[in-house]
Amino acid sequence: MSATSPPAERPRVLFVAEAVTLAHVVRLVTLARSLHEAGWDTVLATDPRYASIVGPLPFAVEAIQTMPPQRFQEAITRGTPIFDFPTLDRYVADELALFDRLRPQLVVGDFRVSLAVSARLAGVPFVNITNAYWSPQARIRRVVPEFDWVSRLGLPAAQWAFRAFERIGYAHHAGPVNRVRRKHGLAGIGSDFRNAIVDGDATCFADLPDIIPMRSLPAGQSFIGPVPWSPPGPPPAWWDDVRRRDGKRPLVYVSLGSSGPAGVLQRVLDGLARLPVDVIASTAGRAEHLRVPPNARLAGLLPGDLACAAADLVICNGGSPGTYQALAQGKPVIGIATNMDQFLNMAAVEDAGYGELVRSRSVTAEEIEGRATRALHDRQMADSARRLAGAIAGSQPAATFGEVARAALQARKT
């Protein structure tokens, strides 16, 4: 029997994704699909805002309310709490109603911190999918994100203030979480919001320890490896031209997502226009008023895995899905980061020698030109990325997650 084969009673597994970004949804889509194909009874609950990108799914999908991406971006830009008490309180009520109707034997969440409350109130095991760089045990460099006040202080002073007051910031974010837990008679998470992000009866890190080393790995926490996903559907009409390339000019793949400061994609295209390279770029709906240089081809969405495989260098927003997609194909990555999640991930990638971290608000076309030139000629970085591709290929996240799911169900029975 394979690791993802269901127990004899075919239990129902409910996946709940907080759809503040596409990444939190598609990770669960991939894992839910793996269990569904192995015979598990799977259901996905999320906001339908990304349904047109995700495409049709072979299992049941429930529509739930999640935070609008605009509100999420405002919170992480200003440094205010991501989840306030009314939001978390409503989430807990919605989830308990969902549990009562669907009767799951196991709940899996991605960035849905309220599940640590609702699942325990309902007596349902909770498996949390998250990133290891959020763990207090992660041994990584912490760089100040693009908060609104960074430009006013200047980067050196802002970095000092960020490190000096980091714990106060985490406590500020933890306040609403502790309040909703106390309301329902549960112990608090302490003053560190990261404890809420990694909380679960079992916690799966969609990372590799090669990039995110840990001081220690608490019981119930494990690495499953990066969870792959690419948008369904055919590539653009010009894709055959990419496949037929003679390789005389390097190919750069650009995918910055739908978030981040306006104008960054244009600056990237302008910087790459000065180089003897070919460019393919995913605009994610942000193609209006772009000046497209002669060496670039654009599409709303591209098959990221195929694009990374064809490219010599990948430029993304620094989030873990884009960086791991590049590294899975053995390609170095330039991450143009904006929010805390992206800075945590990309600082670790840079320190491990697989790419370079760039600040989104200050990046210029000249900086892109220089960094892309260096990255394309950095043989050590390219060799490191190729070696890491082997570790990613061997990580088998779906199978490892299936083992965690089976263990969580078994622990419930004992």
Side-chain angles (χ1 to χ4, degrees):
M1 182 169 57
S2 71
T4 52
S5 297
E9 67 273 20
R10 195 172 181 262
R12 171 165 290 177
V13 183
L14 174 62
F15 292 79
V16 186
E18 179 66 10
V20 292
T21 67
L22 177 63
H24 298 299
V25 178
V26 297
R27 280 199 298 210
L28 293 197
V29 165
T30 296
L31 295 176
R33 190 187 297 273
S34 71
L35 292 192
H36 171 79
E37 292 175 350
W40 297 63
D41 180 7
T42 58
V43 181
L44 173 68
T46 191
D47 192 290
R49 64 175 61 104
Y50 295 120
S52 62
I53 298 175
V54 173
L57 296 172
F59 42 80
V61 179
E62 294 278 338
I64 60 171
Q65 184 177 6
T66 68
M67 185 185 305
Q70 297 83 357
R71 178 180 160 191
F72 173 70
Q73 292 298 330
E74 289 173 2
I76 61 178
T77 299
R78 297 173 182 171
T80 55
I82 297 172
F83 299 103
D84 57 26
F85 174 77
T87 297
L88 291 175
D89 198 39
R90 185 181 71 250
Y91 280 7
V92 170
D94 291 347
E95 289 155 10
L96 288 173
L98 193 64
F99 298 163
D100 188 59
R101 182 162 56 85
L102 296 180
R103 301 292 180 183
Q105 283 79 57
L106 179 67
V107 173
V108 182
D110 195 316
F111 204 57
R112 189 80 173 186
V113 300
S114 51
L115 288 173
V117 177
S118 59
R120 284 166 179 148
L121 292 175
V124 183
F126 167 45
V127 177
N128 186 8
I129 309 299
T130 188
N131 287 102
Y133 46 73
W134 283 114
S135 170
Q137 299 298 320
R139 293 192 293 110
I140 57 174
R141 176 166 54 104
R142 290 176 169 79
V143 181
V144 60
E146 299 286 39
F147 294 136
D148 286 339
W149 47 265
V150 170
S151 59
R152 295 195 296 270
L153 286 182
L155 186 56
Q159 181 64 41
W160 179 88
F162 175 69
R163 294 295 292 147
F165 297 102
E166 184 178 19
R167 291 189 178 279
I168 295 175
Y170 283 137
H172 191 43
H173 285 270
V177 179
N178 284 325
R179 183 180 170 190
V180 77
R181 291 175 73 97
R182 286 195 300 269
K183 174 183 175 178
H184 293 284
L186 298 177
I189 60 164
S191 60
D192 193 334
F193 179 64
R194 294 174 296 179
N195 291 329
I197 298 179
V198 302
D199 189 15
D201 297 311
T203 300
C204 298
F205 296 128
D207 293 288
L208 291 180
D210 309 65
I211 294 179
I212 315 292
M214 306 286 276
R215 295 182 183 88
S216 63
L217 202 58
Q221 298 183 5
S222 59
F223 284 88
I224 64 171
V227 179
W229 180 83
S230 280
W238 47 259
W239 187 253
D240 282 344
D241 294 340
V242 174
R243 296 176 59 188
R244 289 194 295 263
R245 291 175 62 254
D246 57 17
K248 293 180 180 178
R249 286 161 56 97
L251 180 68
V252 180
Y253 169 46
V254 180
S255 180
L256 301 182
S258 59
S259 61
V264 174
L265 178 56
Q266 184 65 69
R267 278 172 267 164
V268 171
L269 294 176
D270 290 346
L272 295 176
R274 308 173 185 186
L275 298 176
V277 300
D278 295 318
V279 179
I280 55 174
S282 171
T283 65
R286 305 184 75 175
E288 299 87 351
H289 312 300
L290 279 176
R291 300 183 307 276
V292 183
N295 67 338
R297 292 177 182 252
L298 274 58
L301 285 174
L302 287 171
D305 51 352
L306 298 180
C308 289
D312 299 285
L313 173 67
V314 176
I315 300 178
C316 69
N317 64 10
S320 64
T323 57
Y324 275 120
Q325 196 167 60
L327 295 172
Q329 300 296 332
K331 307 302 167 62
V333 59
I334 295 174
I336 306 177
T338 301
N339 64 43
M340 183 79 159
D341 190 272
Q342 294 161 356
F343 272 93
L344 287 172
N345 175 71
M346 201 60 217
V349 170
E350 181 177 69
D351 290 349
Y354 304 119
E356 293 191 10
L357 167 63
V358 178
R359 302 191 69 86
S360 64
R361 291 193 178 183
S362 60
V363 66
T364 63
E366 290 77 15
E367 183 179 8
I368 291 298
E369 179 185 10
R371 286 184 179 269
T373 299
R374 289 195 300 273
L376 286 168
H377 291 87
D378 190 331
R379 302 319 308 165
Q380 183 176 356
M381 185 185 296
D383 290 343
S384 296
R386 280 193 289 270
R387 287 194 296 271
L388 188 68
I392 294 175
S395 62
Q396 298 183 323
T400 306
F401 167 73
E403 294 172 357
V404 172
R406 290 178 64 87
L409 285 170
Q410 185 61 36
R412 182 193 186 200
K413 299 175 183 177
T414 59

